[in-house]
Amino acid sequence: SVADELGMKVMCDINIIGGGLYHPDENHDSILTVLKKKSNKHIVAYHEMYGNHPSFWGWYLNNEINPMDSLDYKQCQNCQANFWRQLWKSVANKCHAIAPGSKVTISPFFLLDKEEFRGFRYQSPAEYEAWWFNTMKESDIDVLMLQDSGAEHLSFFTLDEREPFLAAAAKACQRAGKEFWVNVETGQVEADNWAEALEMEHNHSREWAFTQIDWLKQKLLLAAKYGTGIINWGYYPFMNPKDEYEAEVDGQKVNADNRKANYEAYKNYIESLTDNIPDGLLVQPKLQG
C-alpha cells in the first residue's frame, strides 16, 4: 500500500533462493519437481494477496549464479545449464500465466578474476554472451539485471575491466529480444590489489564501504550506456539516512553519520541532473527505487 501511494513498482522474490540448488550427483528431475511445486505455490499465494495492487510489477529470481563451463553449452539432460533453464522457464511461465504482462527478472554476476586466484574458471565476455543469449532465449525471463561490480565486489576493478561484460550481456539480451538493465552497486570491498583482497577474504575481514559519489557517477554513466533500466544494491545498508535503521555488512556496522553523508551526496547529484537523457546514453544515469 505504501508503494502504491509513492508510485513505486514492486518485484516479488520467487522463494527458490540461492545458486546452490543444482547437485550434479542427484536426480535432477526429482529436484526440479520439488522446486517447481514450491515456486508455483508461492507465486499463487503472493499474487492472491498482492496482485491487485497498482505497484505490483513483476517477479525476481533470486539465483545469483555465474555461467557454467563451456561443456554446459551442449544440450544434455543432466547438465547444469539445462537444469537452470528448465527451472526458470517453469517459473516464468507460471508468473506470466497468473499475471499476464508482469515481468520476470534475474540479477546475475560476472567474474573478473583472470588469474583464477579464488579457484573459479575465468570466462571471457564472449562466453557470457553465448550462455546468457541461450538462457534468455530458452527460459522466458524478461529482464536481465547484471551486477556491475563483479562477484568479488572489489574497489580496484576499473570501468575498462567491467565494460566488456556489460556489453556482452546487453548484446545477449538484444539478440534474444529481452531487456537489459544494470544493477549498480553502491557498496564495494576496499582493496588496493588482489593480494590485499585475498588476505581479507582469508581472514574474514573484508572492508566494505560506500562507492564515493565521483566513482558512483562514473558507474552510473557506464550503466546508462548499455542498460535501459538501472537498479541498485547498496541503499541498504550504505545510504539509508534514518537513525533507527541499523546497518551491517559481513558483521561490520555502517556508521549512521556516514550513511547520512552518502545519502546527501547522492541527493545533490540527482538534483543536478536535467530531464533530458544525455547523448550516447539510453536512460538517465541515476538509481531507480
Side-chain angles (χ1 to χ4, degrees):
S1 297
V2 173
D4 294 344
E5 293 173 8
L6 295 174
M8 298 180 73
K9 297 181 177 71
V10 176
M11 300 178 218
C12 167
D13 196 309
I14 301 296
N15 198 30
I16 47 171
I17 295 172
L21 302 174
Y22 169 86
H23 300 281
D25 299 325
E26 296 186 19
N27 185 309
H28 295 157
D29 287 340
S30 63
I31 297 174
L32 286 169
T33 298
V34 171
L35 293 174
K36 289 175 183 179
K37 183 177 180 180
K38 179 182 179 182
S39 63
N40 285 350
K41 182 179 179 181
H42 182 82
I43 290 164
V44 170
Y46 186 91
H47 190 261
E48 285 179 352
M49 187 172 291
Y50 300 112
N52 289 326
H53 280 265
S55 57
F56 170 73
W57 184 83
W59 315 87
Y60 176 59
L61 291 159
N62 194 357
N63 307 119
E64 296 186 12
I65 67 168
N66 194 53
M68 286 80 233
D69 284 348
S70 57
L71 292 176
D72 274 330
Y73 294 155
K74 300 177 182 178
Q75 291 298 319
C76 59
Q77 186 61 32
N78 227 33
C79 68
Q80 193 171 358
N82 195 44
F83 170 87
W84 286 111
R85 289 167 185 162
Q86 286 187 62
L87 177 59
W88 292 338
K89 184 176 179 64
S90 173
V91 170
N93 287 345
K94 184 68 174 180
C95 291
H96 292 143
I98 201 167
S102 63
K103 302 286 188 178
V104 178
T105 68
I106 192 167
S107 187
F109 57 81
F110 53 86
L111 292 172
L112 285 170
D113 182 4
K114 285 188 176 182
E115 302 300 324
E116 302 182 4
F117 291 119
R118 301 173 71 243
F120 301 105
R121 187 178 77 82
Y122 175 79
Q123 298 179 68
S124 70
E127 290 179 281
Y128 279 84
E129 180 188 338
W131 199 88
W132 279 111
F133 164 68
N134 287 316
T135 298
M136 296 297 285
K137 182 180 68 172
E138 296 174 21
S139 65
D140 291 336
I141 297 171
D142 299 294
V143 188
L144 190 156
M145 312 180 296
L146 188 67
Q147 300 174 27
D148 78 328
S149 293
E152 304 91 351
H153 310 289
L154 296 173
S155 61
F156 62 81
F157 290 148
T158 66
L159 293 185
D160 287 343
E161 290 175 297
R162 302 169 196 228
E163 184 168 4
F165 293 91
L166 271 68
K171 188 174 181 181
C173 290
Q174 182 182 38
R175 290 172 59 202
K178 305 301 177 74
E179 293 183 62
F180 177 64
W181 296 3
V182 182
N183 183 351
V184 175
E185 301 189 343
T186 49
Q188 62 189 15
V189 176
E190 295 289 296
D192 292 332
N193 50 51
W194 267 113
E196 184 179 0
L198 292 170
E199 182 179 0
M200 285 194 296
E201 184 171 321
H202 178 74
N203 295 328
H204 304 287
S205 60
R206 294 193 296 177
E207 183 181 340
W208 285 90
F210 175 69
T211 53
Q212 293 301 316
I213 195 66
D214 287 341
W215 173 230
L216 177 55
K217 290 178 188 177
Q218 295 178 57
K219 281 157 54 79
L220 287 166
L221 287 170
L222 178 62
K225 179 180 176 181
Y226 291 99
T228 56
I230 296 175
I231 63 165
N232 165 251
W233 172 81
Y235 181 86
Y236 300 97
F238 298 105
M239 299 170 67
N240 187 335
K242 300 296 184 181
D243 288 322
E244 59 270 26
Y245 173 65
E246 295 185 3
E248 186 177 292
V249 185
D250 279 356
Q252 306 166 34
K253 290 187 176 181
V254 182
N255 179 276
D257 289 338
N258 290 342
R259 288 189 277 111
K260 291 175 184 177
N262 299 339
Y263 176 89
E264 289 299 326
Y266 180 70
K267 184 171 180 287
N268 290 336
Y269 163 66
I270 60 170
E271 288 177 350
S272 72
L273 297 176
T274 66
D275 293 334
N276 299 321
I277 298 174
D279 291 342
L281 303 184
L282 301 177
V283 291
Q284 282 278 20
K286 64 179 182 180
L287 311 174
Q288 298 296 321

